[in-house]
Amino acid sequence: MRKIKLILILLICCSLITGCAETKILERISLVTLIGYDNGDEDKVTATTVVRQINPEFESRVETQTETEATSKGTRIKVDMKTAKKLAAGQLRVVLYGEELAKQGIEESIQTLLSNSEISTSVYLAVVRGESKTLIEQNYEGISDIGQHLYNLIDHNIEQQQLISSTLHEIGRDNQSKVRNFALPILKKEGQFIGITGTAFFNKGKMVGELPSSDISYLVLICDSFKSGTLELSLDSESISPTVETKGDTLNLAVDSIKSKSIIKVTDAKKNEFDLNILLKCRLLETSNKIDISDPKVNKTIEKAMNEKIESEISRIIKYTKEIESDIFGFGEEYRSQVRGANLTEEKWMEMYKKMKLNINVDVEIIRNGVYE
Amino acid sequence: MKSLLQISNDQKFNAPLLFFVVVTSQIAVGIQGFQRLIVKDATHDAWISILLSFLFSHFIVYVMFKTLEIYSTNDLFGIQLDLFGKYLGHLINFSYVIYVSFAFFVVLKNYTEIITTWVFPNLSQVFISGTLLILVIYSFTGGLRVIIGVCFISVVSTIWMLLLLLFPLEYAHYNHLLPVLSNDLVSILKGAYSMTFTIVGFEVVNILYPFVKDKNKAQKYVHFGLFFTCFVYVFVMIVTIVYFSNEQLEKTIWALLTLFSIIKLPFIERIEIIVICFWLIIILPNLCLFSWSAYRGIVRIKNIKGTTFIWIFTILIFFVSLPVQSRHDINRINNIFSKIAFYVVFIYPLFLYIMASTKKILKKWVKSS
């Protein structure tokens, strides 16, 4: 009996002293939801943080703080000194980089984020046109919490496959990989709104180039398999005449993808030759002038014209990435996995990538076109 | 044969429970960070290394049971006393006690370190190891059957964590696994050797054996247990390889926890925090089994009561664990431990079997002549 009592007392003590552990009570901390990094003066970093303070009595308040220090932790200490409540970074959703900083390199910053156990690896990264500070500090009508807003903006676009996924995990993975580079979305302040205006390409953690947002669909088409996503094309009237007649020089059409699959194959390892096969099953949503899609002949012609158009767009994009030396599509990864004893190094692969020969085959299939013919 | 054990039936447990004992004793702190150790040598063929290491473990279990069957109802400590005589036998027994205490220490230290890096960076390690040790005392004083019960509960209540590993597959690049077998045999074997730290634990069967009710079934369940842990490790490894790039994996200390940190569930955003705290249930049976093994060894040398032993044991461990604090120290201790464990778990049983069977043959020969 005495023994049981003793054990009981011990257990009660144990459960009581759990309260002595570090607590993080919601009302007593400020949640960092967004951080923007910019170039400061003399090798220093400017960090702009969006801090959300939960208040039991009033609405929760969102405030921004900017500090410049040599390290990102140093800025955190300074921000801590300005806020009434302890900072907690566990709810961080988005990390932004100013354009200039991105061009100088963000490799160390990614490393710091990865090694911090407080930060989840599902945080999104993005580049800001101009300075991230100005984007964050501006007051937007209708946006109460810019941290949450940017997170939703990026998240739903990735979900709808209008963006290449840029979680911290994926960026860290591709950054450290010898045979792959990564890309981040570019955000831009447009008056009272924030929009995604393009994709920034990186090599060794440095921003080396960019493509406008109209090309994003093609990027996703190469990298990923589409589950949903829309594609806008303008076909030259020459390529579809005389089966289909157009009013102007071009026929604009929008399709949304139902299913797509991209397969990269190394056809000749010695000659450095690749095949890129893309199969796209889509739905015709909109055309700039009336065409009779129920006619199989018209259907075939449009499909063929689309194939050519997509092929030429993709080859243009790949040519551009070769110029700026950024392989975000994972051709190197495919080469490593398909060629035995490839022994690729970063430099070796870049040399090969620039000389790579690529055969693009796109196979579009229009499955249906809505409820009205 | 001297030093036979007298064990009443109410102290014994059923053979199928050995399955749970083996699974819990193998899966402890190692699984959270074993990936990078193996990938360092075997890169994307690491899962083959795991298969190889388990193949060897099955062989060792087979040899272990052959040795135990020669003595029918004796544990490792009794066998050593019989083979090496009183003085050398006690010395070897004592070294074995030191080995299991070391194992206990390593599990404790690694877990406290994970807690301090991931959940409570400011919490003192003294506090965490203190509370853990109190829990160990509590279950130890319940006796062997309680410890076996803890093993059972530990497996049953943590098996759901395997399902969490399906979430990270959203980011999987399956071509990381190709080309299969591109590494040479030496590096794959090196990877298998690095598995030691993760795979050891099943040697407690050596000491549990006399307490099993139906001994002829025991071996079957130990092999089952090994099969199951092999499945778990290979599954974890494959998910890790397709999720991380090779270079990134080499820098990730606890790959399993990093895997969990991308999971976002609607009702909880950071599942890894829950997982780490739940991990206590996984390591508790480990600590109990190791301390119990140490007790069985000490009893042979000096007959003391279990309660006295566990208090002395935990207090000693507590004070030894105080100076070890940094990641660097713990890494070094892990390396030393896995080197020692390799010889104790994988080489020594072979040697013991040769000794025991020669003695048996010699005895027969003496009798007949």
Side-chain angles (χ1 to χ4, degrees), chain A residues 7 93 117-118 120-121 169 173 176 178 180 334 336-337 340, chain B residues 117 138 171 173 175-176 178 180 243 245 247-248 261 269-270:
Chain A
I7 287 164
R93 299 296 174 86
S117 70
E118 210 182 343
S120 152
T121 44
H169 162 69
R173 177 189 68 198
Q176 280 164 38
K178 282 182 231 158
R180 219 188 161 109
E334 291 292 342
R336 187 202 60 74
S337 72
R340 232 163 239 282
Chain B
T117 19
Y138 174 60
Y171 300 92
H173 281 208
N175 60 8
H176 285 176
L178 295 170
V180 178
Y243 181 77
S245 64
E247 294 78 8
Q248 182 190 17
S261 88
E269 283 203 11
R270 304 295 298 276

PDB file of all heavy atoms in Angstrom, chain A residues 7 93 117-118 120-121 169 173 176 178 180 334 336-337 340, chain B residues 117 138 171 173 175-176 178 180 243 245 247-248 261 269-270:
ATOM      1  N   ILE A   7       4.293   5.812  -5.351  1.00  0.00           N
ATOM      2  CA  ILE A   7       4.270   5.904  -6.813  1.00  0.00           C
ATOM      3  C   ILE A   7       3.237   6.926  -7.260  1.00  0.00           C
ATOM      4  O   ILE A   7       3.489   7.747  -8.161  1.00  0.00           O
ATOM      5  CB  ILE A   7       3.977   4.525  -7.430  1.00  0.00           C
ATOM      6  CG1 ILE A   7       5.216   3.638  -7.274  1.00  0.00           C
ATOM      7  CG2 ILE A   7       3.623   4.632  -8.899  1.00  0.00           C
ATOM      8  CD1 ILE A   7       4.964   2.191  -7.474  1.00  0.00           C
ATOM      9  N   ARG A  93       4.514  31.448 -42.773  1.00  0.00           N
ATOM     10  CA  ARG A  93       3.907  30.830 -43.955  1.00  0.00           C
ATOM     11  C   ARG A  93       4.681  31.132 -45.230  1.00  0.00           C
ATOM     12  O   ARG A  93       4.769  30.307 -46.110  1.00  0.00           O
ATOM     13  CB  ARG A  93       2.475  31.339 -44.133  1.00  0.00           C
ATOM     14  CG  ARG A  93       1.546  31.046 -43.012  1.00  0.00           C
ATOM     15  CD  ARG A  93       1.377  29.571 -42.877  1.00  0.00           C
ATOM     16  NE  ARG A  93       0.593  29.210 -41.717  1.00  0.00           N
ATOM     17  CZ  ARG A  93      -0.716  29.146 -41.700  1.00  0.00           C
ATOM     18  NH1 ARG A  93      -1.377  29.453 -42.768  1.00  0.00           N
ATOM     19  NH2 ARG A  93      -1.360  28.797 -40.622  1.00  0.00           N
ATOM     20  N   SER A 117      14.339  24.268 -36.405  1.00  0.00           N
ATOM     21  CA  SER A 117      13.288  23.265 -36.238  1.00  0.00           C
ATOM     22  C   SER A 117      11.926  23.908 -36.011  1.00  0.00           C
ATOM     23  O   SER A 117      10.898  23.283 -36.178  1.00  0.00           O
ATOM     24  CB  SER A 117      13.623  22.350 -35.076  1.00  0.00           C
ATOM     25  OG  SER A 117      13.507  23.061 -33.868  1.00  0.00           O
ATOM     26  N   GLU A 118      11.940  25.179 -35.636  1.00  0.00           N
ATOM     27  CA  GLU A 118      10.684  25.866 -35.362  1.00  0.00           C
ATOM     28  C   GLU A 118       9.875  26.075 -36.646  1.00  0.00           C
ATOM     29  O   GLU A 118       8.658  26.135 -36.633  1.00  0.00           O
ATOM     30  CB  GLU A 118      11.020  27.233 -34.747  1.00  0.00           C
ATOM     31  CG  GLU A 118      10.003  27.765 -33.795  1.00  0.00           C
ATOM     32  CD  GLU A 118      10.423  29.142 -33.297  1.00  0.00           C
ATOM     33  OE1 GLU A 118      11.602  29.516 -33.434  1.00  0.00           O
ATOM     34  OE2 GLU A 118       9.573  29.840 -32.794  1.00  0.00           O
ATOM     35  N   SER A 120       8.393  25.161 -40.246  1.00  0.00           N
ATOM     36  CA  SER A 120       7.959  23.992 -41.001  1.00  0.00           C
ATOM     37  C   SER A 120       8.579  24.014 -42.388  1.00  0.00           C
ATOM     38  O   SER A 120       8.832  25.077 -42.948  1.00  0.00           O
ATOM     39  CB  SER A 120       6.443  24.005 -41.092  1.00  0.00           C
ATOM     40  OG  SER A 120       6.021  23.344 -42.250  1.00  0.00           O
ATOM     41  N   THR A 121       8.800  22.842 -42.974  1.00  0.00           N
ATOM     42  CA  THR A 121       9.389  22.820 -44.311  1.00  0.00           C
ATOM     43  C   THR A 121       8.351  23.067 -45.393  1.00  0.00           C
ATOM     44  O   THR A 121       8.659  23.035 -46.557  1.00  0.00           O
ATOM     45  CB  THR A 121      10.105  21.493 -44.596  1.00  0.00           C
ATOM     46  OG1 THR A 121       9.284  20.433 -44.141  1.00  0.00           O
ATOM     47  CG2 THR A 121      11.447  21.441 -43.936  1.00  0.00           C
ATOM     48  N   HIS A 169      10.961  22.891 -48.512  1.00  0.00           N
ATOM     49  CA  HIS A 169      11.546  21.566 -48.695  1.00  0.00           C
ATOM     50  C   HIS A 169      12.040  21.360 -50.113  1.00  0.00           C
ATOM     51  O   HIS A 169      13.169  20.936 -50.336  1.00  0.00           O
ATOM     52  CB  HIS A 169      10.537  20.480 -48.354  1.00  0.00           C
ATOM     53  CG  HIS A 169      10.915  19.152 -48.923  1.00  0.00           C
ATOM     54  ND1 HIS A 169      12.007  18.464 -48.453  1.00  0.00           N
ATOM     55  CD2 HIS A 169      10.429  18.438 -49.961  1.00  0.00           C
ATOM     56  CE1 HIS A 169      12.142  17.354 -49.168  1.00  0.00           C
ATOM     57  NE2 HIS A 169      11.208  17.328 -50.080  1.00  0.00           N
ATOM     58  N   ARG A 173      15.826  20.942 -51.361  1.00  0.00           N
ATOM     59  CA  ARG A 173      16.203  19.696 -52.034  1.00  0.00           C
ATOM     60  C   ARG A 173      16.901  19.987 -53.358  1.00  0.00           C
ATOM     61  O   ARG A 173      17.975  19.461 -53.632  1.00  0.00           O
ATOM     62  CB  ARG A 173      14.942  18.863 -52.284  1.00  0.00           C
ATOM     63  CG  ARG A 173      15.196  17.592 -53.036  1.00  0.00           C
ATOM     64  CD  ARG A 173      13.896  16.931 -53.432  1.00  0.00           C
ATOM     65  NE  ARG A 173      13.203  17.724 -54.432  1.00  0.00           N
ATOM     66  CZ  ARG A 173      11.909  17.589 -54.720  1.00  0.00           C
ATOM     67  NH1 ARG A 173      11.174  16.736 -54.054  1.00  0.00           N
ATOM     68  NH2 ARG A 173      11.352  18.326 -55.647  1.00  0.00           N
ATOM     69  N   GLN A 176      20.408  21.826 -53.064  1.00  0.00           N
ATOM     70  CA  GLN A 176      21.568  21.034 -52.684  1.00  0.00           C
ATOM     71  C   GLN A 176      21.888  19.938 -53.681  1.00  0.00           C
ATOM     72  O   GLN A 176      22.971  19.374 -53.684  1.00  0.00           O
ATOM     73  CB  GLN A 176      21.343  20.435 -51.301  1.00  0.00           C
ATOM     74  CG  GLN A 176      21.630  21.454 -50.229  1.00  0.00           C
ATOM     75  CD  GLN A 176      21.054  21.035 -48.906  1.00  0.00           C
ATOM     76  OE1 GLN A 176      21.069  19.866 -48.557  1.00  0.00           O
ATOM     77  NE2 GLN A 176      20.551  21.986 -48.153  1.00  0.00           N
ATOM     78  N   LYS A 178      23.005  18.137 -56.995  1.00  0.00           N
ATOM     79  CA  LYS A 178      24.036  18.531 -57.952  1.00  0.00           C
ATOM     80  C   LYS A 178      23.460  18.682 -59.345  1.00  0.00           C
ATOM     81  O   LYS A 178      24.051  19.319 -60.201  1.00  0.00           O
ATOM     82  CB  LYS A 178      25.127  17.463 -58.002  1.00  0.00           C
ATOM     83  CG  LYS A 178      26.080  17.517 -56.841  1.00  0.00           C
ATOM     84  CD  LYS A 178      27.143  16.445 -57.038  1.00  0.00           C
ATOM     85  CE  LYS A 178      27.277  15.600 -55.801  1.00  0.00           C
ATOM     86  NZ  LYS A 178      27.866  14.301 -56.059  1.00  0.00           N
ATOM     87  N   ARG A 180      20.227  19.626 -60.297  1.00  0.00           N
ATOM     88  CA  ARG A 180      18.938  20.290 -60.428  1.00  0.00           C
ATOM     89  C   ARG A 180      19.016  21.707 -59.903  1.00  0.00           C
ATOM     90  O   ARG A 180      19.753  21.981 -58.970  1.00  0.00           O
ATOM     91  CB  ARG A 180      17.917  19.520 -59.603  1.00  0.00           C
ATOM     92  CG  ARG A 180      16.577  19.413 -60.266  1.00  0.00           C
ATOM     93  CD  ARG A 180      15.577  18.814 -59.335  1.00  0.00           C
ATOM     94  NE  ARG A 180      14.282  19.155 -59.849  1.00  0.00           N
ATOM     95  CZ  ARG A 180      13.463  18.278 -60.409  1.00  0.00           C
ATOM     96  NH1 ARG A 180      13.807  17.021 -60.465  1.00  0.00           N
ATOM     97  NH2 ARG A 180      12.297  18.654 -60.875  1.00  0.00           N
ATOM     98  N   GLU A 334      17.093  12.943 -64.359  1.00  0.00           N
ATOM     99  CA  GLU A 334      16.707  11.832 -65.227  1.00  0.00           C
ATOM    100  C   GLU A 334      17.940  11.158 -65.815  1.00  0.00           C
ATOM    101  O   GLU A 334      18.009   9.938 -65.914  1.00  0.00           O
ATOM    102  CB  GLU A 334      15.797  12.331 -66.370  1.00  0.00           C
ATOM    103  CG  GLU A 334      14.430  12.777 -65.921  1.00  0.00           C
ATOM    104  CD  GLU A 334      13.568  11.621 -65.413  1.00  0.00           C
ATOM    105  OE1 GLU A 334      13.888  10.458 -65.720  1.00  0.00           O
ATOM    106  OE2 GLU A 334      12.585  11.898 -64.708  1.00  0.00           O
ATOM    107  N   ARG A 336      20.924  11.039 -64.493  1.00  0.00           N
ATOM    108  CA  ARG A 336      21.569  10.276 -63.436  1.00  0.00           C
ATOM    109  C   ARG A 336      20.846   8.949 -63.194  1.00  0.00           C
ATOM    110  O   ARG A 336      21.457   7.918 -62.983  1.00  0.00           O
ATOM    111  CB  ARG A 336      21.586  11.089 -62.148  1.00  0.00           C
ATOM    112  CG  ARG A 336      22.379  10.474 -61.017  1.00  0.00           C
ATOM    113  CD  ARG A 336      21.943  11.017 -59.680  1.00  0.00           C
ATOM    114  NE  ARG A 336      20.533  10.761 -59.407  1.00  0.00           N
ATOM    115  CZ  ARG A 336      20.032   9.591 -59.087  1.00  0.00           C
ATOM    116  NH1 ARG A 336      20.813   8.551 -58.967  1.00  0.00           N
ATOM    117  NH2 ARG A 336      18.736   9.438 -58.877  1.00  0.00           N
ATOM    118  N   SER A 337      19.505   8.996 -63.234  1.00  0.00           N
ATOM    119  CA  SER A 337      18.766   7.791 -62.881  1.00  0.00           C
ATOM    120  C   SER A 337      18.664   6.809 -64.037  1.00  0.00           C
ATOM    121  O   SER A 337      18.428   5.635 -63.826  1.00  0.00           O
ATOM    122  CB  SER A 337      17.379   8.156 -62.352  1.00  0.00           C
ATOM    123  OG  SER A 337      16.585   8.603 -63.420  1.00  0.00           O
ATOM    124  N   ARG A 340      23.626   4.443 -66.187  1.00  0.00           N
ATOM    125  CA  ARG A 340      24.439   3.833 -65.160  1.00  0.00           C
ATOM    126  C   ARG A 340      25.849   4.427 -65.143  1.00  0.00           C
ATOM    127  O   ARG A 340      26.434   4.647 -66.206  1.00  0.00           O
ATOM    128  CB  ARG A 340      24.540   2.330 -65.423  1.00  0.00           C
ATOM    129  CG  ARG A 340      24.180   1.485 -64.254  1.00  0.00           C
ATOM    130  CD  ARG A 340      23.897   0.091 -64.697  1.00  0.00           C
ATOM    131  NE  ARG A 340      22.531  -0.285 -64.334  1.00  0.00           N
ATOM    132  CZ  ARG A 340      22.169  -0.636 -63.118  1.00  0.00           C
ATOM    133  NH1 ARG A 340      23.036  -0.677 -62.140  1.00  0.00           N
ATOM    134  NH2 ARG A 340      20.923  -0.957 -62.860  1.00  0.00           N
TER     135      ARG A 340
ATOM    136  N   THR B 117      16.062  19.775 -29.090  1.00  0.00           N
ATOM    137  CA  THR B 117      16.215  20.500 -30.358  1.00  0.00           C
ATOM    138  C   THR B 117      14.871  20.800 -31.010  1.00  0.00           C
ATOM    139  O   THR B 117      14.745  21.828 -31.668  1.00  0.00           O
ATOM    140  CB  THR B 117      17.059  19.735 -31.403  1.00  0.00           C
ATOM    141  OG1 THR B 117      17.089  18.387 -31.046  1.00  0.00           O
ATOM    142  CG2 THR B 117      18.420  20.292 -31.532  1.00  0.00           C
ATOM    143  N   TYR B 138       9.224   3.150 -12.330  1.00  0.00           N
ATOM    144  CA  TYR B 138       7.835   2.755 -12.130  1.00  0.00           C
ATOM    145  C   TYR B 138       7.520   1.450 -12.850  1.00  0.00           C
ATOM    146  O   TYR B 138       6.975   0.516 -12.272  1.00  0.00           O
ATOM    147  CB  TYR B 138       6.924   3.873 -12.627  1.00  0.00           C
ATOM    148  CG  TYR B 138       5.463   3.536 -12.604  1.00  0.00           C
ATOM    149  CD1 TYR B 138       4.832   3.208 -11.404  1.00  0.00           C
ATOM    150  CD2 TYR B 138       4.704   3.537 -13.771  1.00  0.00           C
ATOM    151  CE1 TYR B 138       3.490   2.896 -11.369  1.00  0.00           C
ATOM    152  CE2 TYR B 138       3.363   3.225 -13.746  1.00  0.00           C
ATOM    153  CZ  TYR B 138       2.755   2.905 -12.549  1.00  0.00           C
ATOM    154  OH  TYR B 138       1.431   2.598 -12.522  1.00  0.00           O
ATOM    155  N   TYR B 171       5.438  14.834 -52.568  1.00  0.00           N
ATOM    156  CA  TYR B 171       6.612  15.521 -53.120  1.00  0.00           C
ATOM    157  C   TYR B 171       7.664  14.543 -53.625  1.00  0.00           C
ATOM    158  O   TYR B 171       8.803  14.900 -53.788  1.00  0.00           O
ATOM    159  CB  TYR B 171       7.232  16.430 -52.054  1.00  0.00           C
ATOM    160  CG  TYR B 171       6.292  17.481 -51.545  1.00  0.00           C
ATOM    161  CD1 TYR B 171       5.505  17.251 -50.430  1.00  0.00           C
ATOM    162  CD2 TYR B 171       6.179  18.699 -52.198  1.00  0.00           C
ATOM    163  CE1 TYR B 171       4.621  18.215 -49.964  1.00  0.00           C
ATOM    164  CE2 TYR B 171       5.305  19.666 -51.756  1.00  0.00           C
ATOM    165  CZ  TYR B 171       4.534  19.425 -50.642  1.00  0.00           C
ATOM    166  OH  TYR B 171       3.669  20.375 -50.197  1.00  0.00           O
ATOM    167  N   HIS B 173      10.007  12.127 -55.759  1.00  0.00           N
ATOM    168  CA  HIS B 173      10.585  11.965 -57.094  1.00  0.00           C
ATOM    169  C   HIS B 173      11.071  10.536 -57.169  1.00  0.00           C
ATOM    170  O   HIS B 173      12.115  10.208 -56.645  1.00  0.00           O
ATOM    171  CB  HIS B 173      11.766  12.913 -57.299  1.00  0.00           C
ATOM    172  CG  HIS B 173      11.366  14.303 -57.619  1.00  0.00           C
ATOM    173  ND1 HIS B 173      12.136  15.149 -58.358  1.00  0.00           N
ATOM    174  CD2 HIS B 173      10.258  14.998 -57.322  1.00  0.00           C
ATOM    175  CE1 HIS B 173      11.527  16.315 -58.496  1.00  0.00           C
ATOM    176  NE2 HIS B 173      10.389  16.246 -57.861  1.00  0.00           N
ATOM    177  N   ASN B 175      12.309   8.816 -59.402  1.00  0.00           N
ATOM    178  CA  ASN B 175      13.531   8.473 -60.128  1.00  0.00           C
ATOM    179  C   ASN B 175      14.787   8.559 -59.252  1.00  0.00           C
ATOM    180  O   ASN B 175      15.855   8.169 -59.675  1.00  0.00           O
ATOM    181  CB  ASN B 175      13.673   9.311 -61.404  1.00  0.00           C
ATOM    182  CG  ASN B 175      13.736  10.780 -61.127  1.00  0.00           C
ATOM    183  OD1 ASN B 175      13.829  11.192 -59.965  1.00  0.00           O
ATOM    184  ND2 ASN B 175      13.698  11.578 -62.168  1.00  0.00           N
ATOM    185  N   HIS B 176      14.636   9.047 -58.011  1.00  0.00           N
ATOM    186  CA  HIS B 176      15.785   9.027 -57.095  1.00  0.00           C
ATOM    187  C   HIS B 176      16.249   7.605 -56.812  1.00  0.00           C
ATOM    188  O   HIS B 176      17.373   7.384 -56.413  1.00  0.00           O
ATOM    189  CB  HIS B 176      15.406   9.679 -55.759  1.00  0.00           C
ATOM    190  CG  HIS B 176      15.313  11.168 -55.834  1.00  0.00           C
ATOM    191  ND1 HIS B 176      14.907  11.943 -54.792  1.00  0.00           N
ATOM    192  CD2 HIS B 176      15.579  12.020 -56.840  1.00  0.00           C
ATOM    193  CE1 HIS B 176      14.912  13.217 -55.136  1.00  0.00           C
ATOM    194  NE2 HIS B 176      15.317  13.283 -56.382  1.00  0.00           N
ATOM    195  N   LEU B 178      16.484   5.189 -58.907  1.00  0.00           N
ATOM    196  CA  LEU B 178      17.160   4.563 -60.036  1.00  0.00           C
ATOM    197  C   LEU B 178      18.578   5.094 -60.189  1.00  0.00           C
ATOM    198  O   LEU B 178      18.854   6.190 -59.751  1.00  0.00           O
ATOM    199  CB  LEU B 178      16.363   4.835 -61.309  1.00  0.00           C
ATOM    200  CG  LEU B 178      14.976   4.193 -61.350  1.00  0.00           C
ATOM    201  CD1 LEU B 178      14.183   4.733 -62.527  1.00  0.00           C
ATOM    202  CD2 LEU B 178      15.095   2.698 -61.457  1.00  0.00           C
ATOM    203  N   VAL B 180      18.979   1.088 -59.959  1.00  0.00           N
ATOM    204  CA  VAL B 180      19.160   0.164 -58.844  1.00  0.00           C
ATOM    205  C   VAL B 180      20.521  -0.509 -58.946  1.00  0.00           C
ATOM    206  O   VAL B 180      20.990  -0.803 -60.038  1.00  0.00           O
ATOM    207  CB  VAL B 180      18.038  -0.886 -58.879  1.00  0.00           C
ATOM    208  CG1 VAL B 180      18.216  -1.894 -57.771  1.00  0.00           C
ATOM    209  CG2 VAL B 180      16.704  -0.213 -58.760  1.00  0.00           C
ATOM    210  N   TYR B 243      11.973  11.345 -51.241  1.00  0.00           N
ATOM    211  CA  TYR B 243      11.575  12.672 -50.775  1.00  0.00           C
ATOM    212  C   TYR B 243      12.741  13.652 -50.783  1.00  0.00           C
ATOM    213  O   TYR B 243      12.605  14.795 -51.190  1.00  0.00           O
ATOM    214  CB  TYR B 243      10.989  12.538 -49.377  1.00  0.00           C
ATOM    215  CG  TYR B 243      10.509  13.823 -48.738  1.00  0.00           C
ATOM    216  CD1 TYR B 243       9.308  14.390 -49.113  1.00  0.00           C
ATOM    217  CD2 TYR B 243      11.251  14.428 -47.744  1.00  0.00           C
ATOM    218  CE1 TYR B 243       8.850  15.547 -48.517  1.00  0.00           C
ATOM    219  CE2 TYR B 243      10.804  15.580 -47.132  1.00  0.00           C
ATOM    220  CZ  TYR B 243       9.605  16.135 -47.519  1.00  0.00           C
ATOM    221  OH  TYR B 243       9.171  17.272 -46.923  1.00  0.00           O
ATOM    222  N   SER B 245      16.745  14.945 -51.752  1.00  0.00           N
ATOM    223  CA  SER B 245      17.840  14.707 -52.681  1.00  0.00           C
ATOM    224  C   SER B 245      19.010  14.182 -51.854  1.00  0.00           C
ATOM    225  O   SER B 245      19.101  14.425 -50.655  1.00  0.00           O
ATOM    226  CB  SER B 245      18.230  15.982 -53.422  1.00  0.00           C
ATOM    227  OG  SER B 245      18.732  16.949 -52.528  1.00  0.00           O
ATOM    228  N   GLU B 247      22.147  14.870 -51.561  1.00  0.00           N
ATOM    229  CA  GLU B 247      23.015  15.815 -50.859  1.00  0.00           C
ATOM    230  C   GLU B 247      22.310  16.413 -49.654  1.00  0.00           C
ATOM    231  O   GLU B 247      22.926  16.664 -48.622  1.00  0.00           O
ATOM    232  CB  GLU B 247      23.456  16.931 -51.812  1.00  0.00           C
ATOM    233  CG  GLU B 247      24.346  16.497 -52.966  1.00  0.00           C
ATOM    234  CD  GLU B 247      23.585  15.828 -54.091  1.00  0.00           C
ATOM    235  OE1 GLU B 247      22.338  15.823 -54.063  1.00  0.00           O
ATOM    236  OE2 GLU B 247      24.238  15.279 -54.996  1.00  0.00           O
ATOM    237  N   GLN B 248      21.005  16.625 -49.801  1.00  0.00           N
ATOM    238  CA  GLN B 248      20.238  17.209 -48.718  1.00  0.00           C
ATOM    239  C   GLN B 248      20.128  16.219 -47.561  1.00  0.00           C
ATOM    240  O   GLN B 248      20.224  16.583 -46.394  1.00  0.00           O
ATOM    241  CB  GLN B 248      18.851  17.539 -49.256  1.00  0.00           C
ATOM    242  CG  GLN B 248      17.917  18.204 -48.287  1.00  0.00           C
ATOM    243  CD  GLN B 248      16.515  18.249 -48.867  1.00  0.00           C
ATOM    244  OE1 GLN B 248      16.208  17.535 -49.810  1.00  0.00           O
ATOM    245  NE2 GLN B 248      15.686  19.087 -48.312  1.00  0.00           N
ATOM    246  N   SER B 261       7.660  17.023 -40.829  1.00  0.00           N
ATOM    247  CA  SER B 261       7.409  18.456 -40.650  1.00  0.00           C
ATOM    248  C   SER B 261       6.736  19.094 -41.854  1.00  0.00           C
ATOM    249  O   SER B 261       6.324  20.239 -41.793  1.00  0.00           O
ATOM    250  CB  SER B 261       8.695  19.190 -40.283  1.00  0.00           C
ATOM    251  OG  SER B 261       9.376  19.574 -41.426  1.00  0.00           O
ATOM    252  N   GLU B 269      -1.223  21.463 -37.237  1.00  0.00           N
ATOM    253  CA  GLU B 269      -0.344  21.869 -38.326  1.00  0.00           C
ATOM    254  C   GLU B 269       1.038  21.275 -38.231  1.00  0.00           C
ATOM    255  O   GLU B 269       1.701  21.073 -39.229  1.00  0.00           O
ATOM    256  CB  GLU B 269      -0.242  23.396 -38.362  1.00  0.00           C
ATOM    257  CG  GLU B 269      -1.463  23.987 -38.979  1.00  0.00           C
ATOM    258  CD  GLU B 269      -1.200  25.354 -39.532  1.00  0.00           C
ATOM    259  OE1 GLU B 269      -0.032  25.740 -39.608  1.00  0.00           O
ATOM    260  OE2 GLU B 269      -2.170  26.028 -39.879  1.00  0.00           O
ATOM    261  N   ARG B 270       1.498  21.037 -37.007  1.00  0.00           N
ATOM    262  CA  ARG B 270       2.866  20.529 -36.863  1.00  0.00           C
ATOM    263  C   ARG B 270       2.817  19.180 -36.181  1.00  0.00           C
ATOM    264  O   ARG B 270       3.008  19.048 -34.991  1.00  0.00           O
ATOM    265  CB  ARG B 270       3.693  21.519 -36.057  1.00  0.00           C
ATOM    266  CG  ARG B 270       3.718  22.910 -36.623  1.00  0.00           C
ATOM    267  CD  ARG B 270       4.411  22.963 -37.962  1.00  0.00           C
ATOM    268  NE  ARG B 270       5.797  22.562 -37.848  1.00  0.00           N
ATOM    269  CZ  ARG B 270       6.764  23.382 -37.487  1.00  0.00           C
ATOM    270  NH1 ARG B 270       6.497  24.636 -37.258  1.00  0.00           N
ATOM    271  NH2 ARG B 270       7.989  22.932 -37.382  1.00  0.00           N
TER     272      ARG B 270
END
